[in-house]
Structure formats: C-alpha cells, structure tokens
Amino acid sequence: MTGCTLSVVTEETPRKRVRDPEAHRAAILDAARRAFAEHGYDRATIRDIAARAGVTHGLVMRHFGSKEQLFIAAVPGPRDLADVLPGDPATLPERVAAAFVERMENADHADPFITLVRSAPSREKAAKLYDEMRRASLDPYLASVTGPDAEERVDLLAAHLIGVTFSRYVVRSEPLATMSPERLTDHLARTLRAILLG
Amino acid sequence: MTGCTLSVVTEETPRKRVRDPEAHRAAILDAARRAFAEHGYDRATIRDIAARAGVTHGLVMRHFGSKEQLFIAAVPGPRDLADVLPGDPATLPERVAAAFVERMENADHADPFITLVRSAPSREKAAKLYDEMRRASLDPYLASVTGPDAEERVDLLAAHLIGVTFSRYVVRSEPLATMSPERLTDHLARTLRAILLG
DNA sequence: GTCGCTAATGACCAAGCGTTCATTACGTGG
DNA sequence: CCACGTAATGAACGCTTGGTCATTAGCGAC
C-alpha cells in the first residue's frame, strides 16, 4: 500500500503528482458542492474540500481564487422547477409538489437549495445569491399564477418549500424527516393548493 | 468625551472598573441575545458580545464558562405560542396566525425563533436545541389537533412558520419582508387552515 | 533527450477565534 | 482605615482559517 520505495514510517512521503487540471477542477467542484451542502458556507473549509478532491488547498486557490468564487462556481442555479408550469393551471399545485419532492429525494442531501438554506442565514453574500436564484426560479410562476396578489402567493409558496426543506433535509426533525415521499407529496399538494388558489 | 484626566492619545487608558456582577451578567445576556439573533451562533463572537455589554471578553467567560453555555443561557425557550390553544378548534388557525405575527413583529428581529433558524443549519448543537424547543412548543398542539395524521399536520404547520420566518425575518426577501402584518396574518390563517383542517 | 511551460505542492503568513490565567482594584466587614 | 475576597481586566496561547508564494515536477514540443 505504501507504494513508495522503502520509506520509514516517520519519513515524509511527498505525494505523487498527477497533472490533470480539468479532472482536478471537476473533482474540486464536486467536493465543494458536497462540503457546502453538508456544512454550509461558513463551516466548510477549503482544506477539507481539497482533501475530498484529493488535492492540496493551494490548488483549490489556484483554480478558483477564493472561497467565495468557489462557492459561486460550485453551487449552480437550482435545477429547474419551472418545466412543470405548462399544463392545466388547476393542477399546478400537484405538479409542483411532485416535482419538488422528486428533485429533493434524488439529490442525496446535496441539492443547491439545501446548500443555500444552510448558508444564507449567516452569510450576507450567500443570502444575496439565494435571493437571485429564488427570484430566477419564481419568475416563471408569476406568468402562470393569476390574481392581484399573485406575487405574494408565489412567495408564500417558496416560503413553504423552504420551511419543509429546513425541517426535512437540513435539521431533519421528525416526523417530517422520515415521512414517505408519497405522503409528503400529498400534504404539499394540499397546502400549495391553498396557498396558490385558496 | 475622553473623560480621563489629561491622557495623551497614544496613552493607555485603563478602563474604570465597575463592580456589579448581576448587572453585568444581565447586560451580557442581553447583548448575547442580540448578537446571536443578528449573526447566528457561529459568526457571533464573544468579544463582540462583551463590547456590546460594555465589559471585556474575559468577564463573559468568567460568568458563563463557554460560548456554548452562554448561548444556552441567552436563547430562552420561544415565548409561548400555546396560550392560544384554548377556544373553538375551528378558529385555531386564525388564532395561531395572529399570535405568531404579533410575536414576531414585536421582537425587533431578535426573537429566539430567529436565532435558532439562523444557528441550527450550521451547528449540530444549535440544531439539537432547536429541536427541543420545537418539540416543547408543538406538544400542546397535539392535544388540540385531531385526526390520525395530527402529528404530521402540526409538523407541517411548524415548517410553514419556519419558512415564513426565514424569508421575512432572516433573509428578508421581497415581497414577504415588507408585507403588512395584517396581510401576512390573512395569508397565514388561510394556509394554516389548509394544513391543519384541509 | 532536454527544455520550457505550468500544474501542483507545501511551507508560510496574518487575522480571528475561544479559552486561560496572572494581575489589578473595588468595596465591604472588621 | 486596612485587609481580604473576588469582580474585572487584558495579555497571552493554541488553534484554525483563508490566502500567498517560492519551489518542484510532470509532460508535450522540438
């Protein structure tokens, strides 16, 4: 396992260097996504991200310049919840509920949404990024939701999804954390219906 | 403004000492509440709290032993949302909505609920404390809400309030952040009704 | 092969953190 | 009025962090 020729235990074993910028860059991005999702912006460290990616923290700095730029590069815009908009407006709540649950369940606790909910409360910059993404995700809805208070209702829809994300995926408190996806979808559909159309 | 007798600008001016443990302890607790609510557990610092309280950080340690113990001492259980339970079950959603909005609006962005929403996402310990308080706050509701899925509905109610808190009081995104309390109460009542009784 | 470009390393730095503790000075009981 | 208990101070420490940079080594061009 040592691989290195005849090294004493205490001896320094300078790591073998692999020269592959693109693969390293991709590995760092992936590691950063996971680390930021697990710990939030503040408690995630460049050194931990580098270790996960199998490189040194110096290389992370070389590729991304700063922790903040890495965050911006690693946390992509939320995978869309907007492709569910076309269709009968009367069943929009059900479609949104199903799309949300499916997306989150498949993300293995590393969805950008989770990352932002973890990071925004304590980082002004993350809060700004969160707000941009939220706005971009929600804008398409304004065209599909009618009524004078459409904007408010869409915002309340977002707030509800944030609350569920917080409880189920971030803090993971019971009974929401272990509720079956189907049951969650039902509850969500009912509530979103009241928010949007009630 | 200097107050000190003939001190040169560069000269050290050892602060006058006031001996008042109880007042200092109270001042520290108040400063801690505000600091934790503004920045969350991680980004609040003992030195800043001490400065707000007009003492040195050594004194904070002397009185509370550690940052964690200070947090536990400073963030009291959420002021109750349970005294609203007695009454016609059919109007419970309206009463909860009104109580929640009134409590949050009067807290000047320093409600324990806000502190926990800010701290729990990135601190395991804060998350535990959050869970305890949530459970204590919600338990009384289980007696008032009927049906086989009462526990789930109560949890979803909590999730919705978390989401609204997050958007309106923590990240302060529009339009929720500037919505009038009355309007917010209306929206909340309608949504909580769907969650609890829908 | 070897030369040069640059990817990659790891030692280093300064700042900020929570925490410790020797020292100081306030105020009270004698 | 002095002496003592202790509230309060602030210097110091150890650690972690994000960030810098001189040095090293892989690899393609020639």
Side-chain angles (χ1 to χ4, degrees):
Chain A
M1 270 308 179
T2 66
C4 305
T5 57
L6 296 179
S7 63
V8 188
V9 262
T10 60
E11 194 175 328
E12 300 289 329
T13 52
R15 58 198 299 162
K16 185 159 195 307
R17 293 192 185 183
V18 211
R19 207 184 176 84
D20 192 341
E22 293 188 16
H24 282 162
R25 189 183 170 89
I28 291 169
L29 279 175
D30 183 64
R33 255 186 288 271
R34 284 181 286 124
F36 284 134
E38 275 178 38
H39 304 121
Y41 180 87
D42 276 322
R43 294 184 64 80
T45 73
I46 292 188
R47 279 170 173 82
D48 172 57
I49 291 169
R52 290 184 196 222
V55 299
T56 58
H57 71 277
L59 187 64
V60 176
M61 296 305 295
R62 177 181 172 84
H63 275 299
F64 296 95
S66 73
K67 186 182 183 181
E68 191 177 310
Q69 286 176 263
L70 174 60
F71 185 77
I72 291 171
V75 180
R79 302 201 305 279
D80 250 346
L81 236 51
D83 47 351
V84 99
L85 281 172
D88 184 2
T91 62
L92 183 58
E94 284 75 15
R95 298 202 303 279
V96 173
F100 172 81
V101 172
E102 201 227 330
R103 164 179 158 179
M104 297 303 278
E105 293 299 313
N106 293 336
D108 194 31
H109 292 279
D111 192 277
F113 200 32
I114 294 176
T115 305
L116 289 172
V117 169
R118 251 196 228 280
S119 306
S122 56
R123 273 312 260 220
E124 199 64 28
K125 274 282 174 59
K128 281 220 174 66
L129 185 57
Y130 159 81
D131 201 49
E132 286 173 22
M133 292 186 179
R134 192 187 60 94
R135 217 171 285 279
S137 291
L138 260 37
D139 259 355
Y141 279 76
L142 291 178
S144 293
V145 181
T146 60
D149 55 357
E151 213 179 331
E152 294 178 6
R153 286 169 186 261
V154 169
D155 208 31
L156 279 161
L157 175 146
H160 189 68
L161 296 185
I162 288 167
V164 170
T165 302
F166 188 96
S167 288
R168 181 176 171 92
Y169 301 106
V170 174
V171 174
R172 306 187 197 180
S173 56
E174 296 303 332
L176 251 179
T178 56
M179 185 184 296
S180 81
E182 296 74 24
R183 193 153 188 76
L184 176 62
T185 307
D186 288 346
H187 279 301
L188 269 181
R190 179 167 48 84
T191 307
L192 298 188
R193 171 166 294 279
I195 290 175
L196 287 183
L197 314 168
Chain B
M1 271 304 182
T2 68
C4 307
T5 57
L6 295 180
S7 64
V8 190
V9 262
T10 61
E11 193 174 331
E12 299 289 329
T13 52
R15 58 198 298 163
K16 183 154 195 310
R17 294 192 185 183
V18 224
R19 209 182 176 85
D20 193 340
E22 294 188 15
H24 283 162
R25 189 183 170 88
I28 291 168
L29 279 174
D30 183 64
R33 258 185 286 272
R34 284 181 285 121
F36 283 133
E38 275 179 38
H39 303 122
Y41 181 87
D42 276 323
R43 294 184 64 81
T45 73
I46 290 190
R47 281 169 172 84
D48 172 58
I49 291 169
R52 292 183 195 221
V55 298
T56 57
H57 64 279
L59 188 63
V60 177
M61 296 304 295
R62 177 181 173 84
H63 275 299
F64 296 95
S66 73
K67 185 182 184 181
E68 193 178 309
Q69 286 176 262
L70 173 60
F71 185 78
I72 291 171
V75 180
R79 302 200 306 278
D80 250 344
L81 235 52
D83 46 351
V84 98
L85 280 172
D88 183 2
T91 62
L92 184 59
E94 284 74 15
R95 297 202 304 279
V96 172
F100 172 80
V101 172
E102 202 227 328
R103 165 178 158 179
M104 298 304 278
E105 293 299 313
N106 293 336
D108 193 32
H109 290 281
D111 192 276
F113 200 32
I114 293 176
T115 305
L116 289 172
V117 168
R118 249 195 230 279
S119 305
S122 57
R123 273 311 261 220
E124 199 64 28
K125 275 283 173 57
K128 279 217 176 67
L129 185 58
Y130 159 82
D131 201 49
E132 287 172 22
M133 293 187 178
R134 192 187 59 94
R135 217 172 286 278
S137 291
L138 260 37
D139 259 355
Y141 278 77
L142 291 179
S144 293
V145 180
T146 61
D149 54 357
E151 213 179 332
E152 294 177 6
R153 285 169 187 260
V154 169
D155 208 32
L156 279 161
L157 175 146
H160 189 68
L161 296 185
I162 288 167
V164 170
T165 301
F166 188 96
S167 287
R168 181 175 171 94
Y169 302 105
V170 174
V171 174
R172 306 186 197 183
S173 57
E174 295 303 335
L176 250 181
T178 56
M179 185 184 296
S180 81
E182 295 74 24
R183 193 151 189 78
L184 176 62
T185 307
D186 287 346
H187 278 302
L188 270 182
R190 178 168 46 84
T191 307
L192 298 188
R193 172 167 295 280
I195 290 175
L196 288 182
L197 313 168

